[in-house]
Amino acid sequence: TLRLGVATDSYDAEGETTAAKPVPSLTEAEIDAVFAPFRGDILQTPPMVSAKKIAGVPLYKLARKGKEVERKPRLIHVYRLEIRGNDQEPLPAGQVGEIFVKSRVTTRGYAGNAAESKDLLQDGWIRTGDMGYLDEDNVLFIKGRKREMIKCGAHRISPKEIEEILMEHPEVHEVAVIGVPDEILGEAIEAFVVLRQGRDLEPSEIRSFAAARLPEYKVPATIRIRADLPKNASGKIQKQALREESEALRNSRQQAR
């Protein structure tokens, strides 16, 4: 959810938010293009209902960090936040881990569902399911959803990072990146790309573009050009549908051999 308002150090239910709306994930370029005319800060709250409205990051300011930012982005109404590794221990600045939050307004669990509540809550902390890191200035950077991280060999790769790079290509309109099963690496990177209307581009050209800007292990092994991407009613790209499509294609190729 994006919220248009003013970042404050205390919570004000009457004045914090001017407008709010669930939206698909936005790239930095899209944030610049869409929200540049607005005053105030563009805030993102976690997608999970249990932590809704307790955290916000001024995304527009964050996108411009180190460029034109006048005041540092900061968390909104979060009493405590930690980045934790797989061992549940806090990580130092710069290391990517799962985002945990703790506040007096977060949920105490799911009614009638002890199993899910136990997985959600860790000693009073909520597991957001989002991956990110804090920089040396304690600015939060969100890398993506934990369940969507691609496990490629020894690497854990954020699809969002690759999507950001591919969206920089002037001929590209939309991108979705997923991990697909790979016998050697565990998962390989596959990108689905929608080109701008009337444009013509080969997958190899897009891959070369990515290779010039990303480490080799983050370059998609497969790039598929599509007319559009499957979305739900709110405009969010349905990556599960793309995974199923990719699996069906692999199965059909195996049967044809």
Side-chain angles (χ1 to χ4, degrees):
T1 300
L2 290 185
R3 300 177 181 278
L4 175 59
V6 178
T8 62
D9 293 322
S10 61
Y11 182 65
D12 179 1
E14 298 298 326
E16 175 219 347
T17 302
T18 303
K21 178 175 174 41
V23 296
S25 178
L26 297 175
T27 65
E28 291 185 4
E30 289 171 325
I31 292 170
D32 280 345
V34 174
F35 296 110
F38 292 95
R39 295 184 178 182
D41 295 312
I42 305 302
L43 313 179
Q44 183 186 44
T45 59
M48 58 187 303
V49 175
S50 52
K52 191 174 182 181
K53 286 199 71 175
I54 65 154
V57 180
L59 284 187
Y60 179 64
K61 299 290 186 180
L62 185 57
R64 294 181 175 274
K65 183 175 184 290
K67 301 176 186 177
E68 303 173 13
V69 61
E70 295 179 359
R71 68 168 181 261
K72 288 181 173 145
R74 56 190 181 277
L75 295 171
I76 310 302
H77 194 44
V78 168
Y79 295 105
R80 297 186 67 184
L81 180 145
E82 288 183 351
I83 306 297
R84 296 186 182 181
N86 292 331
D87 59 1
Q88 304 301 309
E89 292 297 318
L91 296 174
Q95 288 195 26
V96 176
E98 186 173 2
I99 302 169
F100 280 68
V101 295
K102 188 175 186 178
S103 165
R104 60 181 174 83
V105 297
T106 52
T107 183
R108 296 181 180 179
Y110 296 109
N113 195 329
E116 285 198 22
S117 296
K118 184 178 179 180
D119 185 59
L120 173 71
L121 300 169
Q122 304 285 328
D123 297 324
W125 290 80
I126 283 186
R127 306 182 63 165
T128 67
D130 289 317
M131 301 294 286
Y133 67 93
L134 293 168
D135 72 1
E136 67 281 356
D137 296 321
N138 246 13
V139 175
L140 175 65
F141 290 79
I142 300 174
K143 302 293 289 183
R145 296 293 288 165
K146 183 176 183 178
R147 65 173 179 264
E148 292 184 354
M149 298 294 282
I150 299 170
K151 302 174 183 63
C152 184
H155 304 287
R156 298 296 179 268
I157 302 168
S158 166
K160 185 174 178 61
E161 179 182 358
I162 302 170
E163 290 165 355
E164 293 269 2
I165 292 297
L166 296 181
M167 283 294 295
E168 292 178 3
H169 196 293
E171 310 296 324
V172 171
H173 173 60
E174 280 187 315
V175 177
V177 172
I178 62 172
V180 297
D182 184 270
E183 293 181 357
I184 298 175
L185 297 173
E187 284 187 307
I189 303 170
E190 189 165 311
F192 295 82
V193 177
V194 177
L195 300 177
R196 296 189 182 278
Q197 188 172 4
R199 307 302 171 88
D200 186 24
L201 206 61
E202 293 296 323
S204 59
E205 296 176 89
I206 300 174
R207 195 175 191 283
S208 296
F209 180 86
R213 293 161 176 81
L214 289 167
E216 184 177 356
Y217 69 89
K218 293 184 180 180
V219 177
T222 304
I223 296 177
R224 304 190 190 282
I225 307 294
R226 290 176 54 101
D228 54 31
L229 296 175
K231 298 176 183 177
N232 63 14
S234 66
K236 182 179 180 180
I237 295 172
Q238 299 296 283
K239 290 190 175 182
Q240 182 56 37
L242 295 175
R243 293 187 186 95
E244 293 171 359
E245 176 185 313
S246 180
E247 182 180 7
L249 182 59
R250 289 194 306 275
N251 290 340
S252 65
R253 286 179 175 176
Q254 289 174 357
Q255 293 173 1
R257 290 176 182 175

